[in-house]
Amino acid sequence: MLVSSIVLFAVLAKIASRKELGYYIELGNILFEGIIGILIASIINIFIGEAMLSLLISIVGIVIFSAYALYDISLIKSEIQNDEMI
């Protein structure tokens, strides 16, 4: 499990580093809304207890947090190229 997470992050980092500057930065608001949606769906699933909804929340969570890796690496790349790092 740890190895697959490391490989996934490495592949996403490579993808984000090869795109042009700021390519994934516009995803920030959409990803935040997705996290809020996951939170709301999780709270609803506490009361419903549906197994399929739990699986769907897990899959969507993996996709959103993978996209957050793309977003963060793109943001770091942008800050480095614009000399905004501390």
Side-chain angles (χ1 to χ4, degrees):
M1 186 63 114
L2 178 62
V3 173
S4 63
S5 298
I6 292 170
V7 169
L8 177 64
F9 184 78
V11 168
L12 291 172
K14 191 68 165 174
I15 290 170
S17 67
R18 289 185 175 245
K19 289 290 185 178
E20 63 266 5
L21 188 63
Y23 187 77
Y24 295 107
I25 292 181
E26 67 271 359
L27 288 177
N29 292 332
I30 296 168
L31 294 174
F32 182 72
E33 291 170 3
I35 297 254
I36 298 299
I38 288 175
L39 179 66
I40 291 169
S42 296
I43 292 171
I44 290 170
N45 197 34
I46 289 172
F47 298 108
I48 295 175
E50 184 66 35
M52 283 301 289
L53 182 59
S54 179
L55 180 64
L56 181 66
I57 290 169
S58 298
I59 292 170
V60 171
I62 290 170
V63 170
I64 287 176
F65 283 105
S66 295
Y68 255 119
L70 292 171
Y71 168 76
D72 284 339
I73 293 168
S74 181
L75 188 63
I76 290 168
K77 181 181 173 184
S78 174
E79 288 177 354
I80 288 172
Q81 295 213 353
N82 293 330
D83 290 328
E84 295 175 6
M85 296 296 289
I86 295 176

